[in-house]
Amino acid sequence: MSADGTRGAGTARALVLHAYSAGNQGDGLLLAEAAALAREVLGGGAEVVVAASDPASFAGLGLRVVDSRPSWHGWDPGYRRVLAGIGEFDLVLGVGGGYLRFGTVREALVSALVQVPQLRAAARRGRGVVYLPQSVGPCRFGWRRPVAGWLGRVDRVFARDGRTQAELAGVGARRCPDMGLLAPGWRDSRPGPLAQVPVLSVRALRGAVPAPVRQLAAELGECDGFVQSAVRRNDDRAAAESMLPRHLLSRDELTGDGPASVVVAMRLHAAVAALGAGHFAVHLAYERKGFGAFEDLGLEDWVFPARRFDVDRVVERVRGLLADDAVRAAYTSKVAQARARFAKARAELVEEVRECVRTG
């Protein structure tokens, strides 16, 4: 592909919008799944162009990444050319996630500068554009109507939680699980005894780890830690270290061989990574996406609001998994049933995207 984004004759091309940074492992996963889906639909040799606000973090993935983050001098010329030529792509995907947020002044400003130009370009293209499972909102400061209007002009919008689907009812958003849940290759439950030291993966909210989470850490006692995101304002390392973990697990340690663990995670995709690696997850959700995902998993009893929850109840859930074979068996059965549903949902999503390419 040339520097201005033009393609060679006969080469299928896909554009993935709204990517963030692979420094956040959840966002890296969602981008990888979007690229894999694009190549499944268009063919393994398809060229995938990505608009991302941290392009260097995606180096080495076989993708062409343009910088969507504006500088004091404006937007990168290559990025502007890609958006101007959006009609030349065979398929345009909005990566899964929760980036269309206008809940605070800062969120609204970031979304207006980084996300809105991409959304407007997608709306201008219209046909052949699919927004993969989203959490949209809150949309304050007068943004609800324009955001819904732009989304209403693209081929398909998928919502990964019921609240988003309800708020985008006029857009015709369809419910679909988070792309991290649809990712193939989940590991079966790990045989053998369970690790008796749980894993606690935390992040700061409004500058601090919530008080109930700190109380939970004290009640659980010795824990390992896991950092899912270490990028810019989403760097969880200080929060993780403040919990005084026995050991901070790397991604390879979490997903590699070894006994199953109970992972208590604030970030959704830390919980999803744990489940995909054959562990047991308890989620302390701070956004709508977490409740939607655990509803899709059939694990509604294992998700709690991070800012305010009954600490004793969460401790009971963790200790039940650690000590009770029947509790673990019931949990494992729910995950197995969910995996079968996710395989079907992913196949249906692929067919929807293929239909958009055929008619786009």
Side-chain angles (χ1 to χ4, degrees):
M1 180 178 292
S2 67
D4 65 356
T6 58
R7 62 170 168 168
T11 304
R13 279 198 310 167
L15 173 61
V16 181
L17 299 172
H18 304 292
Y20 176 45
S21 172
N24 182 318
Q25 296 179 36
D27 290 287
L29 169 65
L30 294 176
L31 186 278
E33 289 306 310
L37 187 148
R39 286 176 170 147
E40 185 172 348
V41 169
L42 298 178
E47 295 174 331
V48 179
V49 181
V50 179
S53 60
D54 184 9
S57 70
F58 295 106
L61 297 182
L63 308 169
R64 178 175 182 264
V65 187
V66 295
D67 192 349
S68 63
R69 193 180 187 207
S71 70
W72 290 110
H73 304 290
W75 287 270
D76 179 80
Y79 166 67
R80 293 172 65 181
R81 285 193 293 268
V82 165
L83 292 190
I86 196 169
E88 300 302 315
F89 289 89
D90 299 283
L91 170 65
V92 177
L93 296 175
V95 72
Y99 39 82
L100 293 173
R101 291 196 300 264
F102 304 81
T104 66
V105 171
R106 185 184 183 279
E107 281 183 348
L109 179 61
V110 170
S111 292
L113 291 174
V114 179
Q115 312 302 348
V116 167
Q118 299 173 67
L119 177 56
R120 290 179 65 184
R124 186 177 71 249
R125 160 73 185 257
R127 302 302 297 273
V129 179
V130 178
Y131 269 65
L132 297 176
Q134 302 286 312
S135 294
V136 178
C139 292
R140 298 175 60 201
F141 313 111
W143 282 101
R144 180 182 299 275
R145 182 172 294 179
V147 167
W150 290 319
L151 287 173
R153 291 169 60 186
V154 307
D155 253 348
R156 301 282 193 282
V157 178
F158 292 94
R160 63 179 178 176
D161 63 84
R163 185 174 170 186
T164 294
Q165 185 182 28
E167 290 180 357
L168 295 179
V171 173
R174 306 185 190 186
R175 187 75 163 80
C176 184
D178 181 90
M179 291 298 293
L181 297 178
L182 301 188
W186 279 36
R187 181 172 180 165
D188 292 333
S189 58
R190 298 170 181 239
L194 199 70
Q196 289 302 298
V197 176
V199 178
L200 181 60
S201 179
V202 304
R203 63 159 300 177
L205 299 176
R206 296 182 180 177
V209 177
V213 179
R214 291 187 174 278
Q215 184 182 346
L216 174 65
E219 292 289 334
L220 290 177
E222 187 176 49
C223 290
D224 288 331
F226 174 69
V227 174
Q228 188 233 285
S229 181
V231 58
R232 294 178 188 157
R233 294 173 63 91
N234 287 302
D235 191 336
D236 298 340
R237 287 174 291 189
E241 290 165 359
S242 75
M243 297 292 100
L244 304 178
R246 181 185 71 167
H247 173 61
L248 275 179
L249 300 174
S250 68
R251 175 85 177 195
D252 288 344
E253 287 173 319
L254 181 73
T255 59
D257 293 333
S261 296
V262 178
V263 179
V264 183
M266 290 181 65
R267 286 194 182 271
L268 171 60
H269 289 104
V272 171
L275 288 167
H279 299 295
F280 299 91
V282 179
H283 183 32
L284 306 178
Y286 52 90
E287 290 180 343
R288 61 181 74 176
K289 62 184 178 183
F291 297 98
F294 270 63
E295 176 185 336
D296 291 332
L297 282 158
L299 297 174
E300 296 93 334
D301 291 338
W302 301 89
V303 57
F304 302 86
R307 294 177 178 87
R308 186 174 58 218
F309 59 88
D310 184 333
V311 173
D312 290 339
R313 191 175 175 202
V314 176
V315 170
E316 178 186 353
R317 288 282 188 271
V318 173
R319 291 180 176 162
L321 285 168
L322 290 172
D324 194 326
D325 291 342
V327 172
R328 292 196 296 275
Y331 189 110
T332 299
S333 175
K334 287 180 179 293
V335 172
Q337 294 171 40
R339 287 174 63 185
R341 294 193 300 271
F342 296 157
K344 180 181 179 183
R346 190 182 188 282
E348 292 172 348
L349 177 61
V350 169
E351 285 307 308
E352 288 270 3
V353 176
R354 284 193 175 124
E355 178 63 21
C356 290
V357 171
R358 284 192 290 265
T359 60

PDB file of all heavy atoms in Angstrom, residues 128-150:
ATOM      1  N   GLY A 128     -21.712  -0.252   3.741  1.00  0.00           N
ATOM      2  CA  GLY A 128     -20.467  -0.977   3.946  1.00  0.00           C
ATOM      3  C   GLY A 128     -19.749  -0.606   5.223  1.00  0.00           C
ATOM      4  O   GLY A 128     -18.554  -0.885   5.363  1.00  0.00           O
ATOM      5  N   VAL A 129     -20.465   0.019   6.179  1.00  0.00           N
ATOM      6  CA  VAL A 129     -19.876   0.425   7.453  1.00  0.00           C
ATOM      7  C   VAL A 129     -20.578  -0.327   8.581  1.00  0.00           C
ATOM      8  O   VAL A 129     -21.811  -0.309   8.676  1.00  0.00           O
ATOM      9  CB  VAL A 129     -20.010   1.939   7.690  1.00  0.00           C
ATOM     10  CG1 VAL A 129     -19.408   2.321   9.048  1.00  0.00           C
ATOM     11  CG2 VAL A 129     -19.334   2.723   6.569  1.00  0.00           C
ATOM     12  N   VAL A 130     -19.800  -0.979   9.430  1.00  0.00           N
ATOM     13  CA  VAL A 130     -20.342  -1.731  10.561  1.00  0.00           C
ATOM     14  C   VAL A 130     -19.631  -1.282  11.833  1.00  0.00           C
ATOM     15  O   VAL A 130     -18.392  -1.315  11.898  1.00  0.00           O
ATOM     16  CB  VAL A 130     -20.148  -3.247  10.377  1.00  0.00           C
ATOM     17  CG1 VAL A 130     -20.667  -4.010  11.601  1.00  0.00           C
ATOM     18  CG2 VAL A 130     -20.836  -3.731   9.106  1.00  0.00           C
ATOM     19  N   TYR A 131     -20.403  -0.864  12.828  1.00  0.00           N
ATOM     20  CA  TYR A 131     -19.829  -0.563  14.139  1.00  0.00           C
ATOM     21  C   TYR A 131     -19.973  -1.806  15.013  1.00  0.00           C
ATOM     22  O   TYR A 131     -21.083  -2.208  15.361  1.00  0.00           O
ATOM     23  CB  TYR A 131     -20.520   0.654  14.761  1.00  0.00           C
ATOM     24  CG  TYR A 131     -19.808   1.946  14.403  1.00  0.00           C
ATOM     25  CD1 TYR A 131     -19.762   2.374  13.080  1.00  0.00           C
ATOM     26  CD2 TYR A 131     -19.130   2.687  15.357  1.00  0.00           C
ATOM     27  CE1 TYR A 131     -19.081   3.533  12.723  1.00  0.00           C
ATOM     28  CE2 TYR A 131     -18.443   3.843  15.019  1.00  0.00           C
ATOM     29  CZ  TYR A 131     -18.418   4.259  13.701  1.00  0.00           C
ATOM     30  OH  TYR A 131     -17.717   5.399  13.351  1.00  0.00           O
ATOM     31  N   LEU A 132     -18.836  -2.437  15.313  1.00  0.00           N
ATOM     32  CA  LEU A 132     -18.817  -3.652  16.127  1.00  0.00           C
ATOM     33  C   LEU A 132     -19.279  -3.325  17.542  1.00  0.00           C
ATOM     34  O   LEU A 132     -19.360  -2.165  17.928  1.00  0.00           O
ATOM     35  CB  LEU A 132     -17.409  -4.240  16.104  1.00  0.00           C
ATOM     36  CG  LEU A 132     -16.936  -4.681  14.708  1.00  0.00           C
ATOM     37  CD1 LEU A 132     -15.483  -5.167  14.744  1.00  0.00           C
ATOM     38  CD2 LEU A 132     -17.839  -5.773  14.128  1.00  0.00           C
ATOM     39  N   PRO A 133     -19.605  -4.356  18.352  1.00  0.00           N
ATOM     40  CA  PRO A 133     -20.324  -4.141  19.611  1.00  0.00           C
ATOM     41  C   PRO A 133     -19.797  -2.988  20.459  1.00  0.00           C
ATOM     42  O   PRO A 133     -18.645  -2.965  20.881  1.00  0.00           O
ATOM     43  CB  PRO A 133     -20.169  -5.488  20.314  1.00  0.00           C
ATOM     44  CG  PRO A 133     -20.138  -6.469  19.181  1.00  0.00           C
ATOM     45  CD  PRO A 133     -19.371  -5.784  18.104  1.00  0.00           C
ATOM     46  N   GLN A 134     -20.698  -2.031  20.719  1.00  0.00           N
ATOM     47  CA  GLN A 134     -20.381  -0.748  21.327  1.00  0.00           C
ATOM     48  C   GLN A 134     -21.073  -0.560  22.672  1.00  0.00           C
ATOM     49  O   GLN A 134     -22.128  -1.124  22.925  1.00  0.00           O
ATOM     50  CB  GLN A 134     -20.885   0.393  20.422  1.00  0.00           C
ATOM     51  CG  GLN A 134     -20.349   0.412  19.028  1.00  0.00           C
ATOM     52  CD  GLN A 134     -18.915   0.875  18.995  1.00  0.00           C
ATOM     53  OE1 GLN A 134     -18.562   1.890  19.594  1.00  0.00           O
ATOM     54  NE2 GLN A 134     -18.089   0.105  18.313  1.00  0.00           N
ATOM     55  N   SER A 135     -20.458   0.284  23.500  1.00  0.00           N
ATOM     56  CA  SER A 135     -21.165   0.948  24.594  1.00  0.00           C
ATOM     57  C   SER A 135     -21.099   2.435  24.282  1.00  0.00           C
ATOM     58  O   SER A 135     -20.013   3.018  24.295  1.00  0.00           O
ATOM     59  CB  SER A 135     -20.502   0.659  25.942  1.00  0.00           C
ATOM     60  OG  SER A 135     -20.618  -0.702  26.286  1.00  0.00           O
ATOM     61  N   VAL A 136     -22.222   3.039  23.971  1.00  0.00           N
ATOM     62  CA  VAL A 136     -22.265   4.445  23.562  1.00  0.00           C
ATOM     63  C   VAL A 136     -22.885   5.265  24.687  1.00  0.00           C
ATOM     64  O   VAL A 136     -23.953   4.946  25.191  1.00  0.00           O
ATOM     65  CB  VAL A 136     -23.074   4.622  22.265  1.00  0.00           C
ATOM     66  CG1 VAL A 136     -23.162   6.091  21.885  1.00  0.00           C
ATOM     67  CG2 VAL A 136     -22.443   3.814  21.132  1.00  0.00           C
ATOM     68  N   GLY A 137     -22.204   6.337  25.066  1.00  0.00           N
ATOM     69  CA  GLY A 137     -22.724   7.225  26.078  1.00  0.00           C
ATOM     70  C   GLY A 137     -21.913   7.147  27.364  1.00  0.00           C
ATOM     71  O   GLY A 137     -21.006   6.327  27.493  1.00  0.00           O
ATOM     72  N   PRO A 138     -22.252   8.060  28.301  1.00  0.00           N
ATOM     73  CA  PRO A 138     -23.324   9.050  28.198  1.00  0.00           C
ATOM     74  C   PRO A 138     -23.043  10.110  27.138  1.00  0.00           C
ATOM     75  O   PRO A 138     -21.888  10.356  26.799  1.00  0.00           O
ATOM     76  CB  PRO A 138     -23.364   9.674  29.598  1.00  0.00           C
ATOM     77  CG  PRO A 138     -22.005   9.443  30.160  1.00  0.00           C
ATOM     78  CD  PRO A 138     -21.515   8.159  29.580  1.00  0.00           C
ATOM     79  N   CYS A 139     -24.112  10.692  26.612  1.00  0.00           N
ATOM     80  CA  CYS A 139     -24.002  11.726  25.574  1.00  0.00           C
ATOM     81  C   CYS A 139     -24.614  13.020  26.102  1.00  0.00           C
ATOM     82  O   CYS A 139     -25.747  13.373  25.760  1.00  0.00           O
ATOM     83  CB  CYS A 139     -24.689  11.271  24.291  1.00  0.00           C
ATOM     84  SG  CYS A 139     -23.872   9.913  23.452  1.00  0.00           S
ATOM     85  N   ARG A 140     -23.858  13.714  26.936  1.00  0.00           N
ATOM     86  CA  ARG A 140     -24.311  14.982  27.506  1.00  0.00           C
ATOM     87  C   ARG A 140     -23.887  16.150  26.609  1.00  0.00           C
ATOM     88  O   ARG A 140     -23.327  15.957  25.541  1.00  0.00           O
ATOM     89  CB  ARG A 140     -23.739  15.146  28.914  1.00  0.00           C
ATOM     90  CG  ARG A 140     -24.198  14.068  29.909  1.00  0.00           C
ATOM     91  CD  ARG A 140     -23.487  14.236  31.235  1.00  0.00           C
ATOM     92  NE  ARG A 140     -23.766  15.548  31.842  1.00  0.00           N
ATOM     93  CZ  ARG A 140     -22.983  16.103  32.765  1.00  0.00           C
ATOM     94  NH1 ARG A 140     -21.893  15.480  33.178  1.00  0.00           N
ATOM     95  NH2 ARG A 140     -23.298  17.296  33.264  1.00  0.00           N
ATOM     96  N   PHE A 141     -24.213  17.357  27.063  1.00  0.00           N
ATOM     97  CA  PHE A 141     -23.788  18.602  26.402  1.00  0.00           C
ATOM     98  C   PHE A 141     -24.309  18.706  24.965  1.00  0.00           C
ATOM     99  O   PHE A 141     -23.655  19.268  24.096  1.00  0.00           O
ATOM    100  CB  PHE A 141     -22.257  18.734  26.411  1.00  0.00           C
ATOM    101  CG  PHE A 141     -21.628  18.448  27.743  1.00  0.00           C
ATOM    102  CD1 PHE A 141     -20.850  17.318  27.933  1.00  0.00           C
ATOM    103  CD2 PHE A 141     -21.837  19.306  28.823  1.00  0.00           C
ATOM    104  CE1 PHE A 141     -20.272  17.048  29.161  1.00  0.00           C
ATOM    105  CE2 PHE A 141     -21.263  19.039  30.061  1.00  0.00           C
ATOM    106  CZ  PHE A 141     -20.481  17.909  30.234  1.00  0.00           C
ATOM    107  N   GLY A 142     -25.486  18.132  24.714  1.00  0.00           N
ATOM    108  CA  GLY A 142     -26.093  18.254  23.400  1.00  0.00           C
ATOM    109  C   GLY A 142     -25.586  17.276  22.360  1.00  0.00           C
ATOM    110  O   GLY A 142     -25.911  17.423  21.171  1.00  0.00           O
ATOM    111  N   TRP A 143     -24.841  16.246  22.768  1.00  0.00           N
ATOM    112  CA  TRP A 143     -24.251  15.318  21.797  1.00  0.00           C
ATOM    113  C   TRP A 143     -25.167  14.144  21.429  1.00  0.00           C
ATOM    114  O   TRP A 143     -24.901  13.441  20.456  1.00  0.00           O
ATOM    115  CB  TRP A 143     -22.929  14.778  22.332  1.00  0.00           C
ATOM    116  CG  TRP A 143     -21.797  15.741  22.187  1.00  0.00           C
ATOM    117  CD1 TRP A 143     -21.251  16.544  23.156  1.00  0.00           C
ATOM    118  CD2 TRP A 143     -21.076  16.035  20.981  1.00  0.00           C
ATOM    119  NE1 TRP A 143     -20.233  17.303  22.629  1.00  0.00           N
ATOM    120  CE2 TRP A 143     -20.105  17.011  21.299  1.00  0.00           C
ATOM    121  CE3 TRP A 143     -21.154  15.563  19.670  1.00  0.00           C
ATOM    122  CZ2 TRP A 143     -19.218  17.526  20.354  1.00  0.00           C
ATOM    123  CZ3 TRP A 143     -20.278  16.067  18.729  1.00  0.00           C
ATOM    124  CH2 TRP A 143     -19.322  17.032  19.068  1.00  0.00           C
ATOM    125  N   ARG A 144     -26.226  13.900  22.200  1.00  0.00           N
ATOM    126  CA  ARG A 144     -27.037  12.699  21.942  1.00  0.00           C
ATOM    127  C   ARG A 144     -27.610  12.695  20.524  1.00  0.00           C
ATOM    128  O   ARG A 144     -27.504  11.707  19.799  1.00  0.00           O
ATOM    129  CB  ARG A 144     -28.181  12.605  22.961  1.00  0.00           C
ATOM    130  CG  ARG A 144     -29.061  11.370  22.760  1.00  0.00           C
ATOM    131  CD  ARG A 144     -30.211  11.361  23.768  1.00  0.00           C
ATOM    132  NE  ARG A 144     -29.704  11.313  25.124  1.00  0.00           N
ATOM    133  CZ  ARG A 144     -29.368  10.182  25.757  1.00  0.00           C
ATOM    134  NH1 ARG A 144     -29.496   9.025  25.122  1.00  0.00           N
ATOM    135  NH2 ARG A 144     -28.936  10.210  26.987  1.00  0.00           N
ATOM    136  N   ARG A 145     -28.212  13.799  20.111  1.00  0.00           N
ATOM    137  CA  ARG A 145     -28.862  13.819  18.795  1.00  0.00           C
ATOM    138  C   ARG A 145     -27.859  13.683  17.648  1.00  0.00           C
ATOM    139  O   ARG A 145     -28.071  12.870  16.750  1.00  0.00           O
ATOM    140  CB  ARG A 145     -29.694  15.089  18.645  1.00  0.00           C
ATOM    141  CG  ARG A 145     -30.431  15.162  17.315  1.00  0.00           C
ATOM    142  CD  ARG A 145     -31.403  16.329  17.267  1.00  0.00           C
ATOM    143  NE  ARG A 145     -32.489  16.148  18.217  1.00  0.00           N
ATOM    144  CZ  ARG A 145     -33.469  17.030  18.389  1.00  0.00           C
ATOM    145  NH1 ARG A 145     -33.471  18.159  17.690  1.00  0.00           N
ATOM    146  NH2 ARG A 145     -34.427  16.791  19.257  1.00  0.00           N
ATOM    147  N   PRO A 146     -26.751  14.446  17.617  1.00  0.00           N
ATOM    148  CA  PRO A 146     -25.827  14.272  16.498  1.00  0.00           C
ATOM    149  C   PRO A 146     -25.183  12.884  16.467  1.00  0.00           C
ATOM    150  O   PRO A 146     -25.021  12.301  15.384  1.00  0.00           O
ATOM    151  CB  PRO A 146     -24.783  15.371  16.695  1.00  0.00           C
ATOM    152  CG  PRO A 146     -24.960  15.867  18.072  1.00  0.00           C
ATOM    153  CD  PRO A 146     -26.388  15.619  18.442  1.00  0.00           C
ATOM    154  N   VAL A 147     -24.816  12.333  17.632  1.00  0.00           N
ATOM    155  CA  VAL A 147     -24.206  10.996  17.645  1.00  0.00           C
ATOM    156  C   VAL A 147     -25.192   9.966  17.104  1.00  0.00           C
ATOM    157  O   VAL A 147     -24.846   9.122  16.261  1.00  0.00           O
ATOM    158  CB  VAL A 147     -23.726  10.624  19.068  1.00  0.00           C
ATOM    159  CG1 VAL A 147     -23.384   9.142  19.151  1.00  0.00           C
ATOM    160  CG2 VAL A 147     -22.512  11.458  19.443  1.00  0.00           C
ATOM    161  N   ALA A 148     -26.436  10.015  17.569  1.00  0.00           N
ATOM    162  CA  ALA A 148     -27.450   9.074  17.065  1.00  0.00           C
ATOM    163  C   ALA A 148     -27.695   9.287  15.577  1.00  0.00           C
ATOM    164  O   ALA A 148     -27.875   8.320  14.820  1.00  0.00           O
ATOM    165  CB  ALA A 148     -28.747   9.246  17.850  1.00  0.00           C
ATOM    166  N   GLY A 149     -27.675  10.546  15.143  1.00  0.00           N
ATOM    167  CA  GLY A 149     -27.884  10.818  13.719  1.00  0.00           C
ATOM    168  C   GLY A 149     -26.782  10.225  12.852  1.00  0.00           C
ATOM    169  O   GLY A 149     -27.063   9.624  11.812  1.00  0.00           O
ATOM    170  N   TRP A 150     -25.533  10.382  13.271  1.00  0.00           N
ATOM    171  CA  TRP A 150     -24.431   9.821  12.484  1.00  0.00           C
ATOM    172  C   TRP A 150     -24.471   8.298  12.495  1.00  0.00           C
ATOM    173  O   TRP A 150     -24.305   7.659  11.453  1.00  0.00           O
ATOM    174  CB  TRP A 150     -23.100  10.330  13.039  1.00  0.00           C
ATOM    175  CG  TRP A 150     -22.858  11.786  12.776  1.00  0.00           C
ATOM    176  CD1 TRP A 150     -23.125  12.482  11.629  1.00  0.00           C
ATOM    177  CD2 TRP A 150     -22.318  12.746  13.693  1.00  0.00           C
ATOM    178  NE1 TRP A 150     -22.785  13.804  11.768  1.00  0.00           N
ATOM    179  CE2 TRP A 150     -22.286  14.000  13.019  1.00  0.00           C
ATOM    180  CE3 TRP A 150     -21.849  12.681  15.003  1.00  0.00           C
ATOM    181  CZ2 TRP A 150     -21.802  15.161  13.632  1.00  0.00           C
ATOM    182  CZ3 TRP A 150     -21.376  13.835  15.611  1.00  0.00           C
ATOM    183  CH2 TRP A 150     -21.350  15.053  14.924  1.00  0.00           C
TER     184      TRP A 150
END
